[in-house]
Amino acid sequence: PKVLQHGAHRVGKRTDVEMATWRGYGMGQFIHWGVYSLFGGELNGNYYNGAAEWIRSWKDMPNGVYDSAYKQFNPSSFDATQWAKMAKQMGVRYVTFTTKHHDGFCLWPSKYTDYTIANSPCKKDIVKQVVDAYTKEGIDVYLYFSIMDWHNPDWRYDLKTKEDSVAFERFKLFTKKQLTELLQQYPQTKGLWFDGTWDNSWKKSGAFTDTLEQYLKTLHPGLIIGSRFRADEFGNRHVDATGVLMGDYEQGWERKIPKTYADVHGNDWDCVMTIPENGWGYQKKWLGHWKTTNEILEMTAQCVSLGGNFVLNFGPKPDGTFRPEEVEIAKEAGEWMKINNAAIYNCEYAGWEKQDWGYYTKKTNENKVYMIVFNVPVSRSLKVKPSKNTLVDKAYLLTAPGKTLSLEKLDYDASFIQLPSAQYKQPFVIVLETKEGGEKSDEQKAKT
Ligand SMILES: C[C@@H]1N[C@@H](c2nc3ccccc3[nH]2)[C@H](O)[C@@H]1O
């Protein structure tokens, strides 16, 4: 069988320290900010019923109105340090920030197009200020970059004619130059978050995406790039023709969370999520349901319990401030994380049978399993069934390590933890100190 030339070049997870850091983040922040934020999903009193950052594509958006709007981009209250401090208080450990969304507007003074912040009233290098401020707060920065660029006349959705291919060659060079610029200007960047790579033009550029990814990683050793970037020579994305993930982690979990561990196929992964049902850029009207802090904490626990990270999106207003609902969520989530982050940071899939009360996470390289409890049963008895060859040595509330909880043994491999009678108004964490023992796992038996 032919060997795939431009498929994955690694099978399985990356084993380097940069990826181990990424794996342990637990919680991240996404920020979508740009010209689209000026509209907030609305024009002349009518609301665009799609994601607000897509408003340029709205049939009711007259040509030119969007493309001249950048002349009004002047965020008088933008303060990257305030953003970074809010993120720090929330407890996020990485941020992904939009340098250029599908509309092509660059939030850094790119040398390769005039459609940038340098030609807006703002003039500040927004990307630099965000990278510097978050790095100073100890939050790792990843740069979002949309390959699809509606403003660049050389962008093509498909390559049907010779002219298409000639134009797209120029476009690919432009893309390489902008990415080089971003990595050279903002070297603190830990990774690139690619988007807008689903069209045929990109799917037909598999060899180029392979070469470009290798070039970027040579330029910036340790760089982390997800599976949404590459295509193989047959146009496959995320997973190549032999079924191997292309990229350092599975980047397909957008507004959805895997149901079971089997769904993640042993890959690293993170989920990026909106607070409203959809919409990443600022929206004047949040249509439909807005997630509560408890929902967001449960999604975070769910992701970490399945070996991933949870990334929550914020859409700053045109003036550079956040809407009150987002500020409140960051504050409330941060209060919970301040007390309970041991169960989120540097934790992984525990491999124990899921129970109704909530989620297990396991501290990497330690004999500690955490129970993140969202649903206290009326019996107050929490069932615990460790994985094979693992015993629970001791159990206690994370907030009361001195008060051991009683474990009532059930059948051979399960126990009940009897909760003290109290009002449980917040999700809470129980620590299980574990040790080897009990029923030998099949492989252990085989070894003896
Ligand atoms: C992280 C998210 N990805 C972009 C996007 N565009 C899409 C078009 C079709 C289906 C899904 C999409 N996600 C959204 O605009 C946002 O940036």
Side-chain angles (χ1 to χ4, degrees):
K2 287 193 308 292
V3 174
L4 202 56
Q5 295 301 314
H6 299 296
H9 301 301
R10 185 200 70 253
V11 180
K13 295 179 178 177
R14 268 177 52 170
T15 55
D16 57 292
V17 66
E18 288 85 359
M19 203 66 210
T21 301
W22 187 94
R23 192 171 293 130
Y25 283 145
M27 184 191 265
Q29 178 186 46
F30 215 140
I31 294 187
H32 277 72
W33 200 40
V35 167
Y36 43 79
S37 310
L38 289 164
F39 296 97
E42 178 264 341
L43 183 72
N44 306 327
N46 300 316
Y47 286 92
Y48 173 50
N49 73 350
E53 69 284 354
W54 275 71
I55 195 167
R56 185 182 187 279
S57 67
W58 189 16
K59 61 175 179 25
D60 295 358
M61 173 63 74
N63 284 339
V65 166
Y66 189 96
D67 287 343
S68 59
Y70 76 106
K71 296 196 177 75
Q72 270 78 45
F73 193 78
N74 192 10
S76 51
S77 309
F78 170 62
D79 178 348
T81 302
Q82 281 307 313
W83 289 15
K85 287 189 179 312
M86 182 184 87
K88 188 69 177 180
Q89 187 279 330
M90 178 174 171
V92 303
R93 301 218 292 181
Y94 65 134
V95 64
T96 300
F97 180 70
T98 46
T99 61
K100 179 178 89 170
H101 203 261
H102 308 332
D103 63 352
F105 183 69
C106 302
L107 288 173
W108 83 99
S110 174
K111 293 192 293 292
Y112 305 104
T113 169
D114 293 337
Y115 195 45
T116 83
I117 195 79
N119 299 317
S120 80
C122 173
K123 302 212 183 310
K124 293 175 185 170
D125 183 341
I126 299 284
V127 172
K128 175 165 177 50
Q129 295 200 5
V130 168
V131 170
D132 290 351
Y134 275 80
T135 303
K136 190 161 171 246
E137 285 297 326
I139 299 173
D140 286 347
V141 180
Y142 292 73
L143 298 180
Y144 168 108
F145 183 91
S146 176
I147 296 291
M148 176 170 70
D149 180 331
W150 294 327
H151 188 267
N152 187 311
D154 288 333
W155 164 254
R156 290 292 181 282
Y157 287 97
D158 201 348
L159 307 177
K160 291 194 177 332
T161 65
K162 179 88 180 103
E163 194 280 335
D164 283 341
S165 297
V166 170
F168 206 64
E169 281 311 306
R170 287 194 299 268
F171 184 81
K172 292 186 312 190
L173 180 58
F174 161 76
T175 298
K176 178 178 177 182
K177 286 177 173 176
Q178 283 206 314
L179 292 171
T180 301
E181 195 175 39
L182 284 171
L183 292 180
Q184 289 178 336
Q185 299 295 323
Y186 316 109
Q188 310 98 311
T189 300
K190 303 289 184 209
L192 295 171
W193 205 98
F194 287 101
D195 204 3
T197 56
W198 44 77
D199 289 299
N200 282 343
S201 52
W202 196 251
K203 288 160 87 170
K204 290 175 178 175
S205 304
F208 170 77
T209 70
D210 187 10
T211 308
L212 180 55
E213 183 175 79
Q214 294 187 48
Y215 161 78
L216 294 170
K217 292 197 169 191
T218 304
L219 186 64
H220 198 301
L223 193 68
I224 293 176
I225 297 178
S227 64
R228 201 179 288 201
F229 182 58
R230 291 282 317 285
D232 72 7
E233 59 257 49
F234 300 110
N236 297 300
R237 295 178 58 239
H238 292 281
V239 174
D240 71 19
T242 69
V244 181
L245 188 77
M246 293 180 282
D248 299 322
Y249 64 94
E250 163 60 64
Q251 199 188 344
W253 300 103
E254 177 175 320
R255 292 193 302 126
K256 49 185 188 284
I257 295 176
K259 290 264 172 307
T260 67
Y261 190 64
D263 295 332
V264 304
H265 306 293
N267 296 317
D268 282 313
W269 62 279
D270 68 2
C271 158
V272 291
M273 187 61 77
T274 50
I275 298 173
E277 282 172 40
N278 191 9
W280 302 77
Y282 171 63
Q283 294 172 126
K284 288 173 184 164
K285 262 172 85 174
W286 268 358
L287 313 171
H289 174 69
W290 316 343
K291 297 172 188 70
T292 62
T293 301
N294 275 338
E295 281 178 278
I296 283 153
L297 293 174
E298 179 153 5
M299 291 179 174
T300 305
Q302 196 176 353
C303 288
V304 176
S305 78
L306 293 175
N309 298 320
F310 180 72
V311 179
L312 187 67
N313 181 69
F314 289 72
K317 297 193 291 193
D319 70 354
T321 64
F322 291 98
R323 55 185 312 149
E325 296 88 345
E326 293 186 352
V327 173
E328 186 59 19
I329 282 172
K331 177 175 166 292
E332 291 174 349
E335 284 157 1
W336 189 87
M337 284 292 281
K338 193 171 170 58
I339 296 166
N340 300 288
N341 66 57
I344 300 293
Y345 294 158
N346 305 318
C347 285
E348 61 190 33
Y349 171 61
W352 295 20
E353 182 185 289
K354 168 100 176 56
Q355 305 293 336
D356 293 341
W357 44 258
Y359 307 89
Y360 289 116
T361 62
K362 179 182 178 305
K363 184 63 78 180
T364 304
N365 303 326
E366 277 183 42
N367 291 332
K368 263 187 189 154
V369 167
Y370 298 97
M371 300 165 61
I372 310 177
V373 183
F374 288 86
N375 317 305
V376 175
V378 287
S379 64
R380 293 181 191 285
S381 301
L382 304 182
K383 185 171 183 183
V384 169
K385 194 173 176 189
S387 54
K388 277 194 182 322
N389 191 35
T390 304
L391 290 176
V392 176
D393 197 22
K394 201 169 139 189
Y396 50 87
L397 286 167
L398 179 62
T399 51
K403 278 168 35 192
T404 305
L405 298 175
S406 69
L407 276 151
E408 179 199 357
K409 275 201 78 53
L410 301 174
D411 40 36
Y412 57 91
D413 67 356
S415 307
F416 265 151
I417 290 179
Q418 195 55 35
L419 280 177
S421 58
Q423 292 295 322
Y424 296 96
K425 293 202 177 322
Q426 294 272 351
F428 60 93
V429 173
I430 291 174
V431 184
L432 302 176
E433 293 184 0
T434 63
K435 62 184 180 186
E436 287 204 4
E439 179 80 1
K440 280 216 176 308
S441 57
D442 303 344
E443 57 275 15
Q444 247 89 13
K445 283 176 190 157
K447 277 182 197 146
T448 47

